[in-house]
Amino acid sequence: MALSDDEIKHVAKLARLAVSDAEVPDYVGKLSRIIDLVQQLDAVDTSGVTPMAHPLEMAQRLRADDVTEENCRDAYQASAPDVVDGLYRVPRVIE
Amino acid sequence: MSIGTVASQAAALAAGNLSSRELTRAALDEIEARDGTLNAFINVCAESAMAAATAADELRAAGRAGPLTGIPIAHKDIFCTRGLATTCGSRMLADFVPPYDATVVSRLADAGVVCVGKTNMDEFAMGSSNETSYFGAVRNPWDPAKSPGGSSGGSAAAVAGGLVAAATGTDTGGSIRQPAALTGITGVKPTYGRVSRFGMIAFASSLDQAGVLTRTAEDAAMLLAVMAGFDPRDSTSADVPVADYPATLGDSLEGRRIGVPTEFFDDGLDDECATLVRAALAELEAAGALLREVSLPNLPLSVPTYYIVAPAEASSNLSRFDGVRFGHRAEAVTELNEMYSLTRQQGFGDEVKRRIMTGTYVLSAGYYDAYYLQAQKVRQLIADDFRKAFAEVDLIAGPTAPTAAFALGDKVDDPVQMYLNDIYTIGANLAGLPGASVPCGFTGGLPVGLQLVGPAFSESLVLNVAHQYQLATDWHERRPAGAD
């Protein structure tokens, strides 16, 4: 199945991935081949099959709601691109 | 000095014939001399390695050494190391210095293991040839024109090339077993949840599992004995006791039922690889194992299933790389969404972007049931095939990869051809099972791997069978030119 240029641009927008016009044909070609590969599953009869939620059928563990970690904000923010007064700074979101 | 094996290094340390400083210096010298060609390392930490070696020697002098104290190894650059750059093979994290250690790293460090550096890998572990690394392809020590496999290709080349005796790796669709096969070493992927994922940069969380690349099954058993175990910091860590892996290596194979799936010997398997794997199976039979033909009828669906599940999970996991909290950020942007999308365009390489796009597409409105839900149902069918097989046999054996190492550049332009490389390894990931690859011969001067897959938490048996095979053969003792 061939994806369209518009589909590629739409998916790229959903993925927050800038895609230049020049890059679109390569995505169309390669993603279409990948979708062809995975569409083999369309032909499989899975009626009555429970979708796998965990490879070993284990349930999510719960823990007590206790504070176990100390505050490491400074250490974590040391690798951030732009920090001011302990806050992450990003470009303007709204006018 | 020969790098040898973890076991031989441990024996030399225990006997006082060598110090950790001497072993660590030797590893650093080998890296210095030969990694210019191999490109197996992204970062080498000579200073901290020598300091750790000194500390290990002091522990030994004080009579407090354990079995791994002072052994130099390398970590795949997907494991966070506090204060030491961790790139995941990506421009996105080229300058990232983690504030904490992965559990795998801290457990090995606590056991006295010395980290000499971080190994090269396919970007975010997405690749089967190590060519997607931002830091360049790794070369196969058996032939520098060939790929070492991926994504743990740097770890594989470092061990096969004799730079270190062991390295950690991760395996989401075959990323430990396939490079181990292509470089002629031993690689073990434990059961899903057996080794903690904490601090291991996430690719596909329902498939990712950490393991080791070594020269022998015995070495893998020694390392996994330390790495495996419950970790409250990993929400899917298995709270299951860890068996004493080294203790059962010597068990006899007499009466062990080994299943040989017909689907592992399909048209895609190279004839010479098939012959070598059949010979390896005959060797196991000669050691007392009983071979039985089994069928995993849904196994041929594992590649399409994987290429829905893994990209879907990756597209979600990699949404954290947005230029805000860590990693690359695009410059000269005026608006938040523009910052996100340019940061990700610049920070990710082509294969990672393709997987994010594929994952986003299959999860997008209107497609979820047709792709992701259907894939999780087929995944159940594949897991059921393994369950049924393990009612009849103790272990499954077959080839690890369809061919020996392929040339660098051969498959880079054709993602689907690259994906088909993992056709025999992906099943174990989808079903969460432990697997290993051990060297079983050569074709055209390049190594070939025998794959073993066991039921959940049967690492002891997988390692036992691998070790018994290595007692009967010497393929694992063959070394490429320049490696000792």
Side-chain angles (χ1 to χ4, degrees):
Chain A
M1 185 185 81
L3 299 177
S4 68
D5 288 12
D6 284 347
E7 280 177 301
I8 292 295
K9 288 175 185 169
H10 174 64
V11 174
K13 190 179 169 197
L14 293 176
R16 297 293 183 272
L17 201 56
V19 171
S20 69
D21 288 343
E23 291 174 301
V24 171
D26 188 60
Y27 276 114
V28 167
K30 287 178 176 152
L31 253 61
S32 297
R33 290 209 56 202
I34 294 167
I35 297 303
D36 281 342
L37 170 79
V38 303
Q39 276 184 338
Q40 284 177 47
L41 299 192
D42 287 357
V44 183
D45 180 4
T46 54
S47 47
V49 178
T50 310
M52 183 185 278
H54 186 291
L56 304 176
E57 295 177 357
M58 288 180 174
Q60 197 77 3
R61 211 171 49 241
L62 297 176
R63 62 164 174 80
D65 187 17
D66 297 330
V67 175
T68 55
E69 304 283 330
E70 54 195 293
N71 185 357
C72 302
R73 187 178 69 179
D74 291 347
Y76 295 158
Q77 291 194 332
S79 49
D82 192 0
V83 172
V84 183
D85 298 334
L87 303 172
Y88 294 95
R89 183 159 65 181
V90 296
R92 189 172 54 208
V93 182
I94 47 174
E95 294 295 323
Chain B
M1 174 163 63
S2 160
I3 291 292
T5 62
V6 172
S8 71
Q9 291 182 355
L13 286 166
N17 296 336
L18 278 174
S19 67
S20 177
R21 284 184 64 83
E22 287 169 312
L23 278 174
T24 303
R25 188 73 260 161
L28 293 169
D29 287 347
E30 289 294 326
I31 295 167
E32 174 76 32
R34 304 203 347 265
D35 199 44
T37 309
L38 293 176
N39 198 28
F41 281 83
I42 291 174
N43 262 306
V44 179
C45 49
E47 201 174 315
S48 64
M50 291 310 294
T54 303
D57 286 335
E58 284 167 5
L59 266 182
R60 189 170 297 281
R64 292 178 14 238
L68 295 177
T69 302
I71 306 282
I73 73 159
H75 286 300
K76 184 177 182 179
D77 207 19
I78 197 168
F79 292 103
C80 285
T81 42
R82 188 173 60 204
L84 177 63
T86 300
T87 70
C88 222
S90 182
R91 181 185 178 195
M92 185 64 88
L93 292 176
D95 301 313
F96 176 59
V97 179
Y100 60 86
D101 279 329
T103 298
V104 162
V105 171
S106 58
R107 275 176 171 261
L108 286 166
D110 289 348
V113 168
V114 173
C115 169
V116 297
K118 308 291 293 289
T119 57
N120 203 346
M121 55 182 283
D122 278 300
E123 185 180 10
F124 286 103
M126 299 177 193
S128 308
S129 69
N130 229 290
E131 291 165 290
T132 74
S133 171
Y134 176 63
F135 301 92
V138 177
R139 295 182 178 279
N140 192 317
W142 293 93
D143 177 351
K146 297 285 198 296
S147 164
S151 67
S152 309
S155 289
V159 173
L163 307 183
V164 282
T168 55
T170 58
D171 190 315
T172 303
S175 282
I176 288 173
R177 291 161 288 157
Q178 184 254 19
L182 270 47
T183 59
I185 60 170
T186 303
V188 182
K189 171 206 119 55
T191 308
Y192 179 73
R194 177 71 295 177
V195 175
S196 172
R197 293 185 296 113
F198 178 78
M200 185 176 115
I201 296 169
F203 161 15
S205 301
S206 78
L207 302 162
D208 293 343
Q209 176 56 207
V212 283
L213 297 102
T214 53
R215 284 173 157 177
T216 67
E218 182 187 17
D219 287 1
M222 291 173 72
L223 288 161
L224 286 174
V226 170
M227 293 165 65
F230 177 66
D231 179 9
R233 290 176 143 170
D234 171 0
S235 65
T236 58
S237 176
D239 197 356
V240 174
V242 179
D244 184 348
Y245 304 135
T248 49
L249 290 174
D251 289 1
S252 161
L253 297 190
E254 202 62 52
R256 279 289 176 206
R257 300 164 303 167
I258 294 182
V260 182
T262 45
E263 293 77 10
F264 272 13
F265 293 87
D266 59 0
D267 291 345
L269 179 62
D270 172 80
D271 288 344
E272 281 201 49
C273 290
T275 303
L276 292 168
V277 171
R278 297 267 184 211
L281 294 170
E283 198 71 58
L284 293 174
E285 195 172 29
L290 307 170
L291 299 185
R292 304 248 175 104
E293 196 163 289
V294 294
S295 180
L296 303 169
N298 292 293
L299 195 80
L301 299 170
S302 59
V303 172
T305 303
Y306 179 87
Y307 280 97
I308 293 172
V309 174
E313 295 182 10
S315 71
S316 170
N317 272 326
L318 271 62
S319 65
R320 67 181 55 130
F321 299 105
D322 56 7
V324 177
R325 288 154 300 160
F326 34 66
H328 176 72
R329 176 188 285 197
E331 289 179 1
V333 291
T334 54
E335 185 264 329
L336 188 63
N337 272 315
E338 183 193 17
M339 186 195 85
Y340 291 152
S341 58
L342 285 176
T343 292
R344 290 159 66 77
Q345 181 189 39
Q346 295 165 7
F348 293 135
D350 291 345
E351 179 60 22
V352 171
K353 288 189 230 186
R354 268 196 292 280
R355 303 232 189 157
I356 290 172
M357 291 283 284
T358 305
T360 304
Y361 177 79
V362 300
L363 291 176
S364 63
Y367 291 123
Y368 178 84
D369 286 4
Y371 291 108
Y372 192 73
L373 200 66
Q374 175 73 349
Q376 291 289 48
K377 289 178 181 173
V378 177
R379 189 173 172 187
Q380 192 74 273
L381 295 175
I382 292 167
D384 281 343
D385 285 353
F386 278 103
R387 280 185 209 110
K388 285 174 197 153
F390 287 128
E392 311 287 324
V393 296
D394 300 311
L395 200 74
I396 281 171
T400 306
T403 63
F406 46 90
L408 289 165
D410 245 17
K411 303 185 187 199
V412 271
D413 293 326
D414 189 346
V416 170
Q417 274 309 308
M418 189 68 90
Y419 296 173
L420 289 171
N421 228 277
D422 297 331
I423 190 156
Y424 307 130
T425 48
I426 282 174
N429 300 86
L430 292 172
L433 305 174
S437 180
V438 290
C440 70
F442 288 82
T443 172
L446 295 167
V448 172
L450 166 74
Q451 183 180 207
L452 306 170
V453 178
F457 302 106
S458 69
E459 285 80 4
S460 286
L461 177 62
V462 170
L463 290 161
N464 163 230
V465 174
H467 180 67
Q468 291 300 310
Y469 178 73
Q470 292 181 336
L471 288 179
T473 58
D474 66 355
W475 302 116
H476 62 290
E477 290 172 1
R478 308 290 175 92
R479 306 278 182 255
D484 288 316

